[in-house]
Amino acid sequence: MAVVLEEVATPTGPRWTRRAYIRPEAGGRELPTALGNIEPLGASSPLWAR
Protein backbone atom coordinates (compact mmCIF):
# COMPACT_ATOMS: atom_id res chain seq x y z
CA MET A 1 0.00 0.00 0.00
CA ALA A 2 2.79 2.43 0.84
CA VAL A 3 6.49 2.87 1.45
CA VAL A 4 7.40 5.52 4.00
CA LEU A 5 10.52 6.92 5.63
CA GLU A 6 10.17 6.45 9.38
CA GLU A 7 12.30 7.22 12.38
CA VAL A 8 12.74 4.11 14.54
CA ALA A 9 14.24 3.76 17.99
CA THR A 10 17.36 1.61 18.38
CA PRO A 11 19.58 0.94 21.41
CA THR A 12 22.16 3.38 19.98
CA GLY A 13 19.61 6.09 19.25
CA PRO A 14 17.05 6.89 16.57
CA ARG A 15 17.67 6.16 12.90
CA TRP A 16 15.70 6.58 9.67
CA THR A 17 14.55 3.57 7.67
CA ARG A 18 12.24 2.84 4.75
CA ARG A 19 9.30 0.67 5.77
CA ALA A 20 6.64 -0.86 3.53
CA TYR A 21 3.05 -1.45 4.57
CA ILE A 22 1.33 -4.37 2.87
CA ARG A 23 -2.38 -5.13 3.09
CA PRO A 24 -3.33 -8.82 3.20
CA GLU A 25 -5.19 -10.10 0.15
CA ALA A 26 -8.35 -10.71 2.22
CA GLY A 27 -8.18 -7.18 3.64
CA GLY A 28 -7.64 -6.12 7.20
CA ARG A 29 -4.82 -4.33 8.99
CA GLU A 30 -1.75 -3.41 6.98
CA LEU A 31 1.43 -5.20 8.01
CA PRO A 32 4.77 -3.37 8.25
CA THR A 33 7.96 -4.89 6.87
CA ALA A 34 11.43 -3.77 5.84
CA LEU A 35 11.64 -2.65 2.24
CA GLY A 36 14.31 -5.28 1.58
CA ASN A 37 11.78 -8.05 2.34
CA ILE A 38 9.69 -7.22 -0.74
CA GLU A 39 10.21 -8.47 -4.27
CA PRO A 40 8.19 -7.86 -7.44
CA LEU A 41 5.43 -10.32 -8.27
CA GLY A 42 6.49 -12.26 -11.35
CA ALA A 43 4.20 -12.84 -14.30
CA SER A 44 4.39 -16.61 -13.59
CA SER A 45 2.89 -16.17 -10.12
CA PRO A 46 -0.70 -17.43 -9.67
CA LEU A 47 -1.54 -14.14 -7.93
CA TRP A 48 -0.59 -12.13 -11.05
CA ALA A 49 -3.72 -13.26 -12.92
CA ARG A 50 -6.10 -11.89 -10.26
Side-chain angles (χ1 to χ4, degrees), residues 2-44:
V3 175
V4 297
L5 185 62
E6 290 185 338
E7 184 178 22
V8 294
T10 68
T12 59
R15 70 178 181 94
W16 290 91
T17 185
R18 290 186 294 173
R19 185 175 283 182
Y21 287 87
I22 300 173
R23 184 176 296 153
E25 187 176 346
R29 179 176 283 189
E30 294 175 357
L31 306 169
T33 188
L35 194 58
N37 293 336
I38 300 174
E39 58 185 51
L41 188 63
S44 63

